[in-house]
């Protein structure tokens, strides 16, 4: 229930026109006539105010006192007006007594309390409006009523804790969910943020079975990127309300998309252990391994023993629940682990052929497998087989995202081979792709080619660089570093020099060599600060210090330099966010 604090008045009258124009004597005269037949708060307050503005304070007081005695139905309004007049005389004690009397005169019905609450609010007495609504809530015996109105009033009177409490109460009304989230969002990253978490816990303790409160707490944890806490809450809610794991599964997917692989794996693991007969079981069974796979692949250097464990997990899963459209992705994952990390390219191709045969009714799945096969052939050093497969997918998925991906792979293939003009022609088409990610990749590679070809007739430096890029695609990191070392000595004055350092830094990171990576990144910032990679190098330094070396101060220094040295950087917003998080800020 909400009263919305509307004026409750009909169309504008002559009295209103005089009032707005500041002709208060004429306004008072007109309101006096209107009030004989129809009493509303708006008219009463404007009439009394018109008398005051016309220097007729005594007339105003006489009128209010007379009506207070004779008009029982609207008595509360006159008590409120009398209280206002007492306030003007600085008689706060009497004002308080009269405001209390107005409440007492209204407590006979919810409707009267709603009206006096609106009147108090319009009379700039929000604390008394709060009292009226709290009383109306008690009389109506509806503990969630007026929560929106009270939230507005508590905010206006600086009672933040109570305002938050009312916002959360409002969430019990399903149609108010978006408004509630928008209101709470206003407290995130402010000094009042801890009050949100505290209020949510209090509400959940009072009403443990109210799903709306649990949903809000989980939403809050997700906003703060605290996925493990969100999962704890989601699991508790699932157990208590028997929700079949659906919400836990959705949180797992959200964690995966945010690269929170550990939490994602825990979420999927919960679904498969708690609901082994559930509909989500086969999906969660694959995704729990997939999440662990992402963890392994993003921990440098990659541990081959862990890769073998993942393959065994996928194989056990396929033996347990068979191959179906729910588990076919596991075959793709297995093949790519074999080909990319264990150098077992022929095994990878065999597994992909099996996957294509089993999934032949799903065109998109078959085409994804073909792209994987193209990548494996490139790992094998058979680019002609790769381009054949990529081109098949381009044709099959024309104007589709997968088709653009295939086209990008073909462009990279020409780049690796040193056919820069052909590669650039394809990339220029892809710069208009619907996928921002593909368009950005195309833009970056196209820029690299434009900036570093045509400087010498042989394009020798660019060919060497592209060949090293291919080695990295083939996971030949040691060989790639050797070649990059040679390039750095040979082309230190070339326009590619900063790109060589950048590629070497990223390769060192893949090898888990953080000190060497930092050295190259610092060299880029020191030697080529105004080139395109300056802010990239600085931001990557910050991430190494923050995520790998746990050196808080060094990370903060790097992020701060981005804000001061590269004010227009695309990393600016993220650098500011990370800097403030490391400093422990809660203010905007």
């Amino acid at each position: 229930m909400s009263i919305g604090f509307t004026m409750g008045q009909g169309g504008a009258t002559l009295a209103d026109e005089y009032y707005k124009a500041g002709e208060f004597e004429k306004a008072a005269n007109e309101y006096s006539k209107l009030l004989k037949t129809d009493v509303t708060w708006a008219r009463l307050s404007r009439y009394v105010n018109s008398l005051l503005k016309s220097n007729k304070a005594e007339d105003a007081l006489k009128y209010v006192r007379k009506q207070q005695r004779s008009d029982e139905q609207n008595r509360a309004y006159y008590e409120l007006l009398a209280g206002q007049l007492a306030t003007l005389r600085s008689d706060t004690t009497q004002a308080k007594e009269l405001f209390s009397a107005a409440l007492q005169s209204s407590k006979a019905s919810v409707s009267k309390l709603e009206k006096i609450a609106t009147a108090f609010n319009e009379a700039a007495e929000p604390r008394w409006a709060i009292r009226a609504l709290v009383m109306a809530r008690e009389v109506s015996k509806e503990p969630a009523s007026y929560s929106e109105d009270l939230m507005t009033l508590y905010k206006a009177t600086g009672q933040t804790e109570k305002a938050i409490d009312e916002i959360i109460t409002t969430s019990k009304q399903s149609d108010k969910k978006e408004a509630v989230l928008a209101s709470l969002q206003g407290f995130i990253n402010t000094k009042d943020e801890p009050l949100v978490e505290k209020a949510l816990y209090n509400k959940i303790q009072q009403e443990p079975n109210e799903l709306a409160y649990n949903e809000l707490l989980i939403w809050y944890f997700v906003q703060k990127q605290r996925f493990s806490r969100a999962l704890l809450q989601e699991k508790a809610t699932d157990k208590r309300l028997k929700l079949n794991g659906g919400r836990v599964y959705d949180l797992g997917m959200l964690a995966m998309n945010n690269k929170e692989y550990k939490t994602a794996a825990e979420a999927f693991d919960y679904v498969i252990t708690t609901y082994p007969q559930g509909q989500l079981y086969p999906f969660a069974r694959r995704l729990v391994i997939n999440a662990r796979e992402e963890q392994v692949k993003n921990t440098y250097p990659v541990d081959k023993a862990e890769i073998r464990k993942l393959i065994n997990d996928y194989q056990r899963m396929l033996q347990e629940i068979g191959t179906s459209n729910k588990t076919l992705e596991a075959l793709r994952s297995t093949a790519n682990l074999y080909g990319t990390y264990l150098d077992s390219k022929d095994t990878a191709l065999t597994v992909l052929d099996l996957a294509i045969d089993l999934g032949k009714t799903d065109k998109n799945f078959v085409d994804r497998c073909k792209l994987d096969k193209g990548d494996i052939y490139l790992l094998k050093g058979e680019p002609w087989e790769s381009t054949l497969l990529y081109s098949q997918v381009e044709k099959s998925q024309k104007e589709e995202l997968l088709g653009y991906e295939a086209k990008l792979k073909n462009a990279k293939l020409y780049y690796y081979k040193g056919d820069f003009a052909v590669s650039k022609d394809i990339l220029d088409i892809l710069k208009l792709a619907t996928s921002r990610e593909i368009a950005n990749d195309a833009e970056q590679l196209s820029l690299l080619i434009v900036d570093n070809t045509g400087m010498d007739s042989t394009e020798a430096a660019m060919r060497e660089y592209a060949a090293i890029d291919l080695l990295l695609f083939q996971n030949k990191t040691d060989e790639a570093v050797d070649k990059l070392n040679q390039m750095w000595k040979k082309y230190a004055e070339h326009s590619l020099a900063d790109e060589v350092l950048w590629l070497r830094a990223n390769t060192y990171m893949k090898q888990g060599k953080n000190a060497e990576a930092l050295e190259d990144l610092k060299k880029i910032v020191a030697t080529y600060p105004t080139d395109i990679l300056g802010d990239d190098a600085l931001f990557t330094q910050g991430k190494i210090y923050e995520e790998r070396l746990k050196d808080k101060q060094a990370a903060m220094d790097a992020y701060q330099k981005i804000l001061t040295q590269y004010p227009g950087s695309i990393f600016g917003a993220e650098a500011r966010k990370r800097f403030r998080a490391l400093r422990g800020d809660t203010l905007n």
Side-chain angles (χ1 to χ4, degrees):
M1 197 190 299
S2 169
I3 56 177
F5 294 138
T6 54
M7 291 283 280
Q9 192 179 351
T13 63
L14 182 60
D16 295 327
E17 295 300 325
Y18 283 138
Y19 189 83
K20 283 175 190 165
E23 295 185 50
F24 296 112
E25 283 195 34
K26 288 180 182 176
N29 194 32
E30 290 299 322
Y31 281 128
S32 165
K33 294 175 196 172
L34 289 169
L35 286 166
K36 282 170 185 165
T37 55
D38 185 15
V39 176
T40 68
W41 166 254
R43 283 175 182 170
L44 271 177
S45 61
R46 286 188 171 192
Y47 173 55
V48 168
N49 200 38
S50 296
L51 289 173
L52 293 172
K53 296 276 188 185
S54 308
N55 296 316
K56 294 178 181 175
E58 277 304 310
D59 289 358
L61 190 58
K62 277 179 195 169
Y63 171 78
V64 168
R65 282 178 177 162
K66 180 188 164 211
Q67 294 300 108
Q68 209 175 322
R69 290 190 295 272
S70 61
D71 186 355
E72 183 61 34
Q73 191 183 344
N74 296 298
R75 187 173 174 180
Y77 284 158
Y78 300 117
E79 286 165 336
L80 197 166
L81 284 164
Q84 283 189 292
L85 293 169
T87 303
L88 289 173
R89 299 193 303 273
S90 301
D91 191 342
T92 50
T93 306
Q94 195 185 14
K96 192 175 176 184
E97 284 171 8
L98 286 159
F99 289 155
S100 293
L103 280 184
Q104 290 304 309
S105 300
S106 306
K107 73 175 185 182
S109 78
V110 169
S111 169
K112 281 189 172 183
L113 285 165
E114 287 176 355
K115 283 178 179 172
I116 202 66
T118 304
F120 270 125
N121 187 53
E122 286 167 15
E125 292 289 348
R127 289 180 183 272
W128 287 93
I130 289 170
R131 290 187 190 190
L133 288 181
V134 169
M135 199 179 275
R137 182 181 269 182
E138 287 165 7
V139 172
S140 71
K141 295 187 169 55
E142 290 181 33
S145 56
Y146 313 112
S147 49
E148 278 184 279
D149 302 312
L150 283 165
M151 172 193 82
T152 306
L153 290 165
Y154 282 131
K155 275 177 101 170
T157 54
Q159 298 179 74
T160 307
E161 206 158 341
K162 287 183 175 178
I164 291 169
D165 196 66
E166 293 298 340
I167 293 168
I168 296 166
T169 301
T170 307
S171 70
K172 291 171 87 168
Q173 303 168 51
S174 57
D175 60 324
K176 296 284 191 285
K177 189 175 177 183
E178 292 306 313
V180 167
L181 295 182
S183 294
L184 285 181
Q185 189 77 54
F187 293 102
I188 304 288
N189 299 326
T190 74
K191 67 179 187 335
D192 296 321
E193 185 187 288
L195 300 175
V196 173
E197 190 174 345
K198 181 184 164 190
L200 283 166
Y201 276 122
N202 287 343
K203 287 286 190 191
I204 288 166
Q205 279 178 339
Q206 289 161 16
E207 297 178 65
N209 292 330
E210 180 53 66
L211 186 57
Y213 298 157
N214 285 281
E215 283 180 336
L216 277 186
L217 184 58
I218 291 156
W219 169 85
Y220 168 74
F221 285 138
V222 168
Q223 295 304 299
K224 300 304 293 176
Q225 302 280 297
R226 288 159 67 184
F227 288 98
S228 58
R229 293 296 299 275
L231 179 59
L232 276 176
Q233 196 62 34
E234 200 69 274
K235 287 198 293 195
T237 307
D238 182 81
K239 280 176 188 165
R240 194 165 57 245
L241 302 178
K242 298 180 174 54
L243 301 172
N244 298 319
R247 288 164 53 92
V248 176
Y249 180 89
D250 289 344
L251 182 65
M253 294 300 289
L254 189 61
M256 276 284 270
N257 293 336
N258 281 274
K259 298 183 169 58
E260 291 280 342
Y261 303 121
K262 186 171 181 288
T263 303
E266 284 174 25
F268 298 131
D269 197 43
Y270 171 85
V271 174
I272 61 179
T273 51
T274 314
Y275 302 102
Q277 307 303 318
Q279 285 183 317
L280 292 169
Y281 180 85
F283 299 105
R285 184 78 174 78
R286 176 180 71 80
L287 286 166
V288 72
I289 309 168
N290 192 219
R292 287 206 295 271
E293 177 186 336
E294 291 302 324
Q295 264 185 286
V296 171
K297 287 184 342 194
N298 287 281
T299 306
Y300 302 110
V302 173
D303 186 337
K304 289 193 177 181
E306 288 296 323
I307 296 289
R308 290 191 186 91
K309 255 193 242 177
L310 288 166
I311 290 172
N312 288 336
D313 285 347
Y314 278 129
Q315 287 170 342
R316 271 201 302 275
M317 183 205 79
L318 290 166
Q319 283 163 5
E320 181 197 331
I321 51 182
T323 49
S324 67
N325 63 338
K326 296 171 185 175
T327 56
L328 277 173
E329 284 292 334
L331 283 174
R332 275 189 68 217
S333 297
T334 304
N336 288 317
L337 290 171
Y338 270 125
T340 309
Y341 296 100
L342 297 184
D343 209 16
S344 304
K345 302 176 191 77
D346 291 332
T347 306
L349 290 169
T350 305
V351 174
L352 283 168
D353 284 335
L354 172 65
I356 288 170
D357 186 51
L358 290 166
K360 54 180 172 278
T361 56
D362 182 344
K363 185 183 102 165
N364 286 346
F365 176 75
V366 168
D367 284 341
R368 283 199 297 274
C369 288
K370 283 185 176 180
L371 290 185
D372 293 340
K373 279 186 76 175
D375 291 348
I376 302 293
Y377 276 118
L378 196 50
L379 294 176
K380 282 186 80 172
E382 298 178 26
W384 53 92
E385 292 286 353
S386 300
T387 197
L388 193 68
L389 286 155
Y390 295 156
S391 299
Q392 281 177 19
V393 178
E394 263 193 69
K395 195 174 175 185
S396 161
Q397 299 275 345
K398 211 166 187 183
E399 302 308 317
E400 298 294 329
L401 190 58
L402 212 52
Y404 289 130
E405 202 178 317
K407 198 182 273 289
L408 181 63
K409 285 179 181 289
N410 256 331
K412 283 183 178 175
L413 203 56
Y414 282 111
Y415 157 73
Y416 292 142
K417 290 194 295 184
D419 291 343
F420 300 126
V422 179
S423 178
K424 189 184 172 304
D425 286 346
I426 300 170
L427 292 168
D428 287 345
I429 296 165
L430 283 172
K431 282 195 271 186
L432 307 171
T434 49
S435 158
R436 193 169 67 179
E437 199 176 335
I438 287 173
N440 285 348
D441 285 352
E443 178 76 48
Q444 284 183 351
L445 188 53
S446 177
L447 269 174
L448 180 71
I449 292 169
V450 170
D451 288 351
N452 300 291
T453 53
M455 289 188 66
D456 53 61
S457 56
T458 60
E459 295 176 343
M462 193 63 199
R463 286 177 195 282
E464 283 183 46
Y465 184 87
I468 295 168
D469 238 348
L470 177 58
L471 288 174
L472 287 170
F473 178 81
Q474 294 168 330
N475 275 318
K476 297 176 180 174
T477 50
D478 291 340
E479 198 180 329
V481 167
D482 287 343
K483 299 275 187 192
L484 284 164
N485 291 341
Q486 291 167 29
M487 266 202 91
W488 174 244
K489 284 176 190 168
K490 196 169 164 186
Y491 297 108
E493 303 304 316
H494 194 280
S495 64
L496 261 173
D498 58 335
E499 297 282 356
V500 170
L501 287 173
W502 176 247
L503 200 56
R504 190 168 69 177
N506 280 281
T507 309
Y508 281 141
M509 283 167 70
K510 280 189 176 177
Q511 294 176 320
K513 296 178 179 176
N514 299 320
E516 290 87 337
L518 281 169
E519 198 178 319
D520 277 351
L521 293 168
K522 285 174 182 173
K523 212 175 281 181
I524 292 170
V525 176
T527 318
Y528 313 98
T530 57
D531 281 8
I532 199 164
L533 293 169
D535 56 339
D536 296 69
L538 204 46
F539 186 70
T540 308
Q541 277 182 58
K543 281 174 73 179
I544 291 174
Y545 283 125
E546 180 185 358
E547 295 166 9
R548 297 190 179 197
L549 302 178
K550 311 298 178 194
D551 187 336
K552 204 170 170 179
Q553 190 55 52
M556 284 169 67
D557 291 345
Y559 294 141
Q560 193 167 34
K561 279 178 187 168
I562 289 174
L563 301 173
T564 52
Q565 294 175 21
Y566 300 94
S569 170
I570 57 165
F571 301 109
E574 182 65 17
R576 183 175 284 106
K577 187 173 129 189
R578 285 173 177 250
F579 176 83
R580 288 178 166 179
L582 287 166
R583 195 170 62 181
D585 286 13
T586 51
L587 292 171
N588 270 335

